[in-house]
Amino acid sequence: EDQVTQSPEALRLQEGESSSLNCSYTVSGLRGLFWYRQDPGKGPEFLFTLYSAGEEKEKERLKATLTKKESFLHITAPKPEDSATYLCAVQAAGSARQLTFGSGTQLTVLP
Amino acid sequence: NAGVTQTPKFRILKIGQSMTLQCTQDMNHNYMYWYRQDPGMGLKLIYYSVGAGITDKGEVPNGYNVSRSTTEDFPLRLELAAPSQTSVYFCAGGGVDNQPQHFGDGTRLSIL
């Protein structure tokens, strides 16, 4: 059974204080690992897809990395507008493309 | 291009009532999905469809039904609503050919 565990559950940072969110996964053949951002009252918004260990992707203050067992979402010099819940999900090879999600990390960036 | 649109945004039902959650997309996705999200939990797959006329169960299908008569529409039906179905429901499309799934903004459903 595919499993995704995210830590920490909640994280409070001061504006400009860099940190990392963790996503540990077990999957029977990884097709892709996805990071989404979710704002209150909204659906998940796509950030990144990572396909193989060693891959990295960046977007503004966010950088996602992937190993064979986990992924990290690094947030550099965050701003209050980065406050959101960040969701990690895996897509298994051979599946009908459905995603298995972690429970998310709720990030709060204080001004 | 509206993407994935869900209606209604909010609904309160009484135990035993039924309703249909609507989902429509204008991105020509063959693959579509219904998830539910409970507080503090990840999204759980209810049903999915790989094309018009083809649907299959996900992880938590009990108490729900779906249909897919067109590429654009993928409604989710609740029969005999129960308090355990209080949740936020998300519809998504895509996820093939290295493209991500795109989500609607959800339907917040309370069963009282």
Side-chain angles (χ1 to χ4, degrees), chain A residues 6 8 16 54-55 57 66 77 85-86 93:
Chain A
Q6 291 188 246
E55 189 175 1
K57 289 194 176 172
L66 181 65
T85 296
Y86 291 85

Side-chain angles (χ1 to χ4, degrees), chain B residues 80-101:
Chain B
L80 297 175
S84 61
Q85 294 178 305
T86 293
S87 189
V88 183
Y89 292 84
F90 289 100
C91 179
V96 294
D97 297 329
N98 293 344
Q99 296 299 312
Q101 290 185 18

Side-chain angles (χ1 to χ4, degrees), chain A residues 3-51:
Chain A
Q3 285 192 314
V4 178
T5 303
Q6 291 188 246
S7 62
E9 291 184 6
L11 182 63
R12 292 167 67 93
L13 300 173
Q14 290 296 133
E15 185 171 2
E17 180 186 3
S18 301
S19 188
S20 297
L21 312 182
N22 178 263
C23 171
S24 298
Y25 66 92
T26 56
V27 63
S28 53
L30 181 69
R31 181 186 297 275
L33 185 140
F34 298 79
W35 282 98
Y36 284 84
R37 169 191 171 126
Q38 187 175 24
D39 292 302
K42 297 291 187 180
E45 176 187 350
F46 171 72
L47 293 172
F48 304 108
T49 310
L50 302 167
Y51 295 103

